[in-house]
Amino acid sequence: MSFLSNFTASFPGERPPFIPPYSQFNLHSLPPISSRPTIRISPPFQIGVGRSSRYSRKRSACMTLINERLGRDRDIADPSSILAYELVQGKLVKWSSMVVLNRSIPEPPTAVLLHGILGSRKNWGSFVRRLALEFPTWQFVLVDLRCHGDSASIKKRGPHTVASTALDVLKLIAQLRITPRVLIGHSFGGKVVLSMVEQAAKPLPRPVRAWVLDATPGKVRAGQDGEDHPRKLISFLRKLPKEVSSKRDIVNALIQEGFSKDVAQWVVTNLRPTGAASSSSSSFSWVFDLEGISEMYESYEETNLWKVVENLPRGVHVNFLKAERSLHRWALEDLQRIHAAEESAADEGGGVEMHVLEDAGHWVHADNPDGLFRILSFSFKGVKA
């Protein structure tokens, strides 16, 4: 099993799939993949974990970057990897690297899922496995964003912004040669999804659904007093030593600082043992890059992507989901603008919809996974490989 998909594979009776406008590939000139990720098979779905492999420094693909401010004439991937990722495939997915050579094997429908600030691809793990069971013809790409999870060790040039994070994911999609039908982003990841739409803005040959989970397109509004605010959390974590001896001590320190027990226990999942497994040492270090994350969160608060929502390219459907008990207050103005965008997008061949997830706070996939599953499921129904 391979993680590579044919970016230009066509489907019987369909027009050619979406090829990001910043990259038009000549597949015959693509260099060979220098390494393959380790694959583990775990019925009834298949899982692969790895980093995107390297491309040659030689320019073997012609591309045009949409956002020229982020880099003109760059390679698709720099000499190191792009991002760490995980691939979960439904049991009926037959696709493999041979699809590159055999176009009679269609690419399966693919969804890309992005986590929020201080999270990782693991946040989506159990939820995606449930999706793979329910929709066995689909495959799902879980990504560690820059400065997070296993991608934290992949050094990235600044600025660390919503836009540069989105470009990372677009480059990963291009390198894996997959054609996503669905993009799902939680919180910061939701704004990254909108930025991906902005940077790849053009009429699409077939619909792409984007889900923005508990994030508004504009300036972020802080929650009520006493709630776990990410800016405060990041600031506190930056004061802690990079290496600690006890996860419990960190949990207690966070609770004493006023953060909830749930958030404190979630934060320490980002601690990993520093020594070998056989070592008696019990020290831990953070897997994320807090300096970069601090810059990313500042960009998240200030980035305004209303123009994307209000001027969607044909074929893009953006779905906003508001958590009923969200720590981010959705202003009446936000809701009114989204409802107005619903009407104008329908006239232009796009789509904007608003959903509310009952009995859920900001951590939608943990607070009400059943409700979220029901809402997201219609994006995966009726789509054939």
Side-chain angles (χ1 to χ4, degrees):
M1 184 67 61
S2 165
F3 297 126
L4 293 183
S5 163
N6 187 349
F7 221 156
T8 59
S10 58
F11 293 75
E14 293 188 8
R15 286 178 289 178
F18 166 51
I19 300 177
Y22 65 86
S23 179
Q24 302 295 328
F25 286 100
N26 175 356
L27 290 182
H28 297 292
S29 65
L30 284 173
I33 301 302
S34 59
S35 62
R36 297 182 64 185
T38 302
I39 298 158
R40 298 196 299 270
I41 304 300
S42 178
F45 43 76
Q46 305 159 50
I47 305 172
V49 181
R51 289 181 182 171
S52 57
S53 49
R54 295 183 296 182
Y55 275 79
S56 166
R57 286 176 180 267
K58 295 180 180 179
R59 181 164 299 279
S60 57
C62 173
M63 73 172 185
T64 304
L65 287 174
I66 290 297
N67 190 340
E68 295 183 349
R69 292 170 299 173
L70 293 177
R72 183 187 295 271
D73 296 330
R74 284 189 193 170
D75 289 333
I76 298 163
D78 65 32
S80 63
S81 302
I82 300 175
L83 294 170
Y85 66 95
E86 179 177 352
L87 181 72
V88 178
Q89 294 181 318
K91 64 180 180 180
L92 298 182
V93 175
K94 305 299 182 184
W95 169 85
S96 73
S97 59
M98 289 302 295
V99 75
V100 175
L101 302 177
N102 183 359
R103 296 191 180 187
S104 67
I105 303 174
E107 175 195 343
T110 303
V112 176
L113 294 94
L114 308 179
H115 60 79
I117 284 290
L118 294 173
S120 75
R121 68 178 190 265
K122 294 178 181 179
N123 297 155
W124 282 111
S126 59
F127 190 86
V128 160
R129 284 158 180 75
R130 182 178 175 183
L131 285 173
L133 285 171
E134 183 70 20
F135 304 103
T137 62
W138 280 75
Q139 63 181 11
F140 305 87
V141 180
L142 289 66
V143 180
D144 278 339
L145 301 176
R146 63 165 57 201
C147 303
H148 291 76
D150 291 330
S151 291
S153 61
I154 305 172
K155 298 305 179 184
K156 294 289 184 183
R157 256 184 231 175
H160 299 298
T161 62
V162 169
S164 60
T165 305
L167 185 57
D168 290 343
V169 182
L170 286 170
K171 289 180 177 182
L172 178 65
I173 289 171
Q175 192 177 44
L176 299 183
R177 286 176 277 180
I178 57 176
T179 310
R181 306 280 192 96
V182 174
L183 305 171
I184 302 173
H186 174 242
S187 193
F188 177 88
K191 262 194 177 173
V192 172
V193 163
L194 288 178
S195 184
M196 290 171 66
V197 172
E198 178 185 41
Q199 294 183 54
K202 64 179 290 187
L204 304 183
R206 64 170 177 241
V208 170
R209 287 197 172 272
W211 284 89
V212 180
L213 306 183
D214 212 38
T216 63
K219 185 177 175 63
V220 173
R221 293 175 175 82
Q224 298 175 353
D225 291 340
E227 291 184 325
D228 299 299
H229 193 270
R231 180 183 283 276
K232 180 183 175 184
L233 179 58
I234 293 168
S235 177
F236 180 75
L237 291 176
R238 292 175 73 181
K239 298 175 184 177
L240 298 177
K242 292 184 178 180
E243 193 168 310
V244 299
S245 58
S246 167
K247 289 186 177 183
R248 179 171 295 185
D249 287 347
I250 299 300
V251 169
N252 292 337
L254 287 163
I255 293 173
Q256 187 174 356
E257 190 69 15
F259 296 101
S260 69
K261 184 178 180 180
D262 286 344
V263 165
Q265 291 177 333
W266 165 70
V267 166
V268 297
T269 62
N270 287 290
L271 285 169
R272 291 182 182 172
T274 55
S278 58
S279 172
S280 59
S281 172
S282 61
S283 62
F284 302 87
S285 60
W286 298 103
V287 297
F288 43 47
D289 172 6
L290 277 174
E291 297 303 314
I293 287 175
S294 179
E295 191 177 343
M296 291 167 74
Y297 186 75
E298 184 176 345
S299 170
Y300 169 66
E301 284 194 329
E302 299 299 327
T303 297
N304 189 333
L305 292 168
W306 275 112
K307 64 180 180 180
V308 179
V309 178
E310 294 170 340
N311 298 279
L312 283 177
R314 182 175 296 275
V316 177
H317 297 256
V318 175
N319 297 267
F320 289 95
L321 184 139
K322 176 189 178 298
E324 186 179 38
R325 297 184 280 104
S326 174
L327 66 86
H328 295 293
R329 291 178 291 186
W330 290 64
L332 179 60
E333 177 189 354
D334 294 331
L335 300 176
Q336 289 173 336
R337 288 184 76 171
I338 289 174
H339 288 310
E342 284 182 293
E343 298 178 7
S344 61
D347 293 339
E348 296 298 323
V352 176
E353 294 181 53
M354 184 74 196
H355 309 262
V356 176
L357 181 61
E358 297 179 350
D359 193 27
H362 184 59
W363 308 103
V364 291
H365 38 325
D367 291 346
N368 187 359
D370 291 342
L372 181 62
F373 187 87
R374 286 192 297 271
I375 291 174
L376 292 181
S377 286
F378 82 88
S379 289
F380 303 101
K381 293 177 179 177
V383 178
K384 297 180 181 180

